[in-house]
Amino acid sequence: TMVTGGGGYLGYNLGCALVSSGVAVVLFDVRKPKWEIPSGADFFRGDVRDYEAVFEACEGVDCVFHVAACGMSGLEQANHIESINVGGTKIIIDVCKQRNIPRLIYTSTVNVVFGGNPIEEGDEETVPYFPLEKQFNHYSRTKAIADQMVLAANGTLLKGGDKLHTCVLRPPGIYGPEEQRHLPRVAVNIQRRLFNFKFGNHKVQMNWVHIGNLVQAHLLAAEALTSEKGYVASGQAYYIHDGENVIFSEWIVPLFEKLGYRKPWIHIPVLLAHIAATVMEYLHLILKPVFSFTPFLTRNEVWNVTVTHTFRIDKARNQLGYKPQKFSFADSVD
């Protein structure tokens, strides 16, 4: 089994779980994991945009988890994001066909359907992709293209004559011990006193997923692409989260307490927050050639905490046998 993005948080944890279940794993990434590579896993340094490297790494592989992605921070160049998220996905699909790899699981995101539009208890059948031309960040747009590419590849012929079986998993924000992307950014913004402000309606709800639950979903998805399971997941998309809707301002209270700050209490209009984020993003673009800085707020982040977007996971429960465990956000704050 190969895991692209195997040097990252999700890819590495998925690789460890696969090894624990007795599966030989190739962790494929441009950077080695910061954690120790477990016995039973091999690290292969390579770029998903490099066909030869991907082809070589996939020797003897019968399942690919395509986790690698770029652009979540919103700061990378558009063509760089596209070359990895879209170009890299095309190469993964092509190599699966050439190497006769029958199973491909793609880690997508809820952002393929969410772009600031309210979604309450959305499901896979009724919520359409957010229009690509309206996606204001390249990460979401390119992930949506790749999501559709992977689903479209389902049922295509492999070189040896068998069929390729694909599915996509769409998680929201990930949290867990040592998570590197979401929590540190929230923590920094709390320390900057940015989250002393409340934006918009305090009843806004969203979903999160613990790393343990997301890994479980990936393992189940791989099983569900086998003949033993009747290829039940073949060509399917699944929302994956902890099984509960949370109010962001309440959910992050443990992080405030851990950092020694009071809960947010100053209320500012959403429009003001959105304008500030827009200005930050454009300043970042304009100044990038001479001065690089990280915007303390992006439009995507404003939408995430000011617009309800919740999803049903019934399909994953019923078809994959997904059973999210109960985790405490407070336990992940270290």
Side-chain angles (χ1 to χ4, degrees):
T1 294
M2 184 173 88
V3 180
T4 71
Y9 185 62
L10 171 57
Y12 174 79
N13 278 278
L14 175 57
C16 289
L18 286 162
V19 166
S20 296
S21 66
V23 176
V25 176
V26 175
L27 298 173
F28 183 94
D29 210 322
V30 287
R31 274 184 293 276
K32 245 184 158 173
K34 57 179 270 192
W35 309 277
E36 187 181 345
I37 294 170
S39 174
D42 290 314
F43 176 73
F44 190 109
R45 191 182 300 277
D47 192 311
V48 290
R49 296 171 294 179
D50 181 347
Y51 182 93
E52 297 303 325
V54 175
F55 187 82
E56 185 184 340
C58 281
E59 185 177 1
V61 164
D62 68 347
C63 179
V64 173
F65 291 94
H66 184 27
V67 179
C70 169
M72 197 181 289
S73 66
L75 308 179
E76 295 86 352
Q77 294 284 359
N79 56 358
H80 181 67
I81 295 171
E82 183 142 356
S83 69
I84 293 172
N85 294 354
V86 178
T89 299
K90 182 182 185 304
I91 284 174
I92 293 293
I93 293 168
D94 288 346
V95 168
C96 283
K97 292 177 185 176
Q98 290 302 311
R99 281 288 197 191
N100 291 307
I101 300 169
R103 293 180 292 162
L104 171 60
I105 298 96
Y106 178 61
T107 310
S108 185
T109 165
V110 295
N111 286 356
V112 303
V113 298
F114 175 68
N117 47 317
I119 300 171
E120 291 189 34
E121 299 297 308
D123 64 30
E124 294 83 354
E125 315 313 320
T126 58
V127 181
Y129 287 100
F130 191 76
L132 291 178
E133 68 278 6
K134 291 184 180 175
Q135 282 282 17
F136 53 79
N137 74 79
H138 298 297
Y139 174 76
S140 301
R141 185 179 62 81
T142 54
K143 289 292 282 186
I145 294 168
D147 181 302
Q148 293 174 71
M149 284 168 62
V150 170
L151 291 178
N154 183 67
T156 55
L157 287 178
L158 303 175
K159 190 177 181 182
D162 289 336
K163 283 184 178 176
L164 174 61
H165 297 278
T166 69
C167 69
V168 304
L169 304 182
R170 296 174 182 163
I174 304 168
Y175 71 101
E178 297 190 81
E179 194 276 325
Q180 299 296 304
R181 280 185 187 270
H182 297 93
L183 297 190
R185 186 152 166 81
V186 173
V188 164
N189 281 337
I190 289 173
Q191 287 164 333
R192 287 173 174 161
R193 303 297 177 95
L194 180 66
F195 282 158
N196 276 4
F197 303 101
K198 277 187 177 180
F199 312 141
N201 187 339
H202 70 282
K203 295 270 197 301
V204 167
Q205 293 192 315
M206 62 196 301
N207 305 120
W208 285 80
V209 66
H210 187 277
I211 183 67
N213 285 332
L214 189 51
V215 165
Q216 178 207 146
H218 280 75
L219 300 179
L220 290 168
E223 284 179 33
L225 291 178
T226 62
S227 57
E228 290 81 6
K229 297 284 184 178
Y231 305 110
V232 65
S234 198
Q236 301 300 313
Y238 300 94
Y239 294 115
I240 302 293
H241 58 70
D242 282 351
E244 59 183 10
N245 301 336
V246 299
I247 296 168
F248 180 70
S249 57
E250 294 176 5
W251 193 73
I252 62 166
V253 165
L255 196 49
F256 275 90
E257 292 171 346
K258 185 83 175 180
L259 295 169
Y261 292 96
R262 287 190 304 167
K263 284 198 297 183
W265 57 278
I266 304 167
H267 194 281
I268 65 169
V270 173
L271 181 61
L272 194 58
H274 195 260
I275 290 169
T278 305
V279 169
M280 277 289 148
E281 286 185 29
Y282 279 106
L283 273 176
H284 170 76
L285 274 177
I286 294 163
L287 297 175
K288 195 166 188 177
V290 288
F291 172 65
S292 186
F293 72 98
T294 302
F296 59 76
L297 196 61
T298 65
R299 283 175 289 177
N300 200 44
E301 288 170 329
V302 172
W303 289 132
N304 270 325
V305 298
T306 60
V307 180
T308 286
H309 52 298
T310 58
F311 299 89
R312 300 171 67 96
I313 56 169
D314 302 33
K315 184 177 174 183
R317 289 183 193 270
N318 296 335
Q319 294 187 5
L320 304 181
Y322 175 60
K323 295 188 180 82
Q325 290 179 270
K326 181 78 175 163
F327 290 97
S328 163
F329 174 59
D331 293 342
S332 299
V333 179
D334 49 22

